[in-house]
Amino acid sequence: MPTMCQDNVFVQLICTIQYRVVKENADDAFYELQNPQQQIQAYVFDVVRAIVPRMNLDDLFEQKNDVAKAVLEELEKVMGDYGYSIEHILMVDIIPDAAVRKAMNEINAAQRLQLASVYKGEAEKILLVKKAEAEAEAKYLSGVGIAKQRQAITDGLRENILNFSHSVSGTSAKEVMDLIMVTQYFDTIKELGEGSKNTTVFIPHGPGHVRDISEQIRDGMMQASSSNV
């Protein structure tokens, strides 16, 4: 049955009606109405067209059961006098105009796209935060590892100096340190030469330069020790 809502939207309502003849009033049902189906349909149209124009389309979808209940109550009062009992009314479907359905679908699609964009933005935000946290944690662990490595090197050098001083009489800690620095210097030169992916590196080389390097390192260590005191 076609009708119009309060917001000027034409809709088509489809409903099913279950009714039966009351056994005690079978004579009335047979003689009073010539076409009961047409009479029921007319009453349904009358009730629907009285209720639906007072409702918006959204309200109609939400309250379709209330519309069916109002139709049922009206039919029970009217058709009961003719020997009919209205058992049940079901509002099967509400079909708006095609243009309105298209607009409703577009609105729904736009809302879902907007919601999807919000979720996507939140997900990207979480990924960026987690990535930043992971990078910060990696840098922290790298710093801890480097600090432990340097501490281990320092402890090893200290132990080597003490062992060498005890094993070879007449040697001072400075002489042992110079010897270790020379050894490490040549090990570094060797690694630079053996590396397959190393680029050309120009460094000063000679006995005097080795002494200068050891003095610079020793001075740096002494300055660091004095600053910690």
Side-chain angles (χ1 to χ4, degrees):
M1 65 196 77
T3 185
M4 186 175 65
C5 298
Q6 188 179 24
D7 46 2
N8 297 325
V9 177
F10 284 94
V11 294
Q12 186 80 15
L13 276 69
I14 301 176
C15 63
T16 59
I17 302 172
Q18 298 176 359
Y19 63 93
R20 65 180 179 85
V21 176
V22 180
K23 185 177 180 180
E24 292 78 8
N25 300 326
D27 293 341
D28 294 337
F30 184 78
Y31 292 107
E32 292 292 337
L33 292 179
Q34 184 177 4
N35 191 337
Q37 292 183 354
Q38 185 177 1
Q39 191 68 32
I40 291 174
Q41 187 179 25
Y43 280 116
V44 171
F45 282 178
D46 185 63
V47 175
V48 168
R49 287 171 179 169
I51 296 176
V52 173
R54 299 199 299 265
M55 306 171 66
N56 292 325
L57 180 61
D58 293 338
D59 296 335
L60 178 60
F61 276 102
E62 294 176 0
Q63 303 174 22
K64 65 178 183 178
N65 291 333
D66 295 337
V67 176
K69 183 179 179 181
V71 174
L72 177 61
E73 292 175 353
E74 183 66 23
L75 285 180
E76 284 179 340
K77 291 188 297 184
V78 175
M79 298 304 296
D81 296 337
Y82 297 104
Y84 288 92
S85 174
I86 309 300
E87 300 296 324
H88 187 68
I89 295 180
L90 178 63
M91 196 67 64
V92 178
D93 199 3
I94 300 173
I95 305 175
D97 183 73
V100 176
R101 292 201 305 271
K102 181 179 178 182
M104 292 174 65
N105 290 333
E106 291 177 352
I107 292 173
N108 185 270
Q111 291 175 344
R112 292 183 181 276
L113 288 174
Q114 183 179 7
L115 186 61
S117 299
V118 172
Y119 285 148
K120 182 179 179 181
E122 290 294 331
E124 291 177 350
K125 177 182 176 181
I126 293 173
L127 288 176
L128 290 175
V129 171
K130 292 299 181 182
K131 182 179 179 181
E133 291 177 352
E135 291 178 352
E137 183 69 16
K139 291 179 180 179
Y140 170 76
L141 294 176
S142 176
V144 172
I146 293 174
K148 290 183 178 180
Q149 180 186 21
R150 291 175 178 174
Q151 183 64 40
I153 293 173
T154 303
D155 294 340
L157 289 174
R158 184 186 301 109
E159 185 177 354
N160 289 334
I161 292 172
L162 293 176
N163 292 337
F164 195 90
S165 298
H166 293 158
S167 300
V168 181
S169 60
T171 57
S172 63
K174 178 180 180 302
E175 293 173 342
V176 176
M177 187 66 183
D178 290 340
L179 178 61
I180 293 175
M181 292 300 302
V182 171
T183 302
Q184 290 187 343
Y185 175 78
F186 283 110
D187 288 341
T188 303
I189 297 297
K190 179 181 178 182
E191 290 180 0
L192 289 174
E194 291 178 349
S196 60
K197 296 182 179 180
N198 290 334
T199 57
T200 303
V201 179
F202 294 95
I203 57 174
H205 180 67
H209 292 298
V210 175
R211 186 182 303 108
D212 293 340
I213 293 173
S214 62
E215 290 178 354
Q216 292 175 11
I217 295 176
R218 184 169 55 253
D219 292 341
M221 294 177 64
M222 293 178 63
Q223 291 177 4
S225 300
S226 62
S227 63
N228 292 330
V229 174

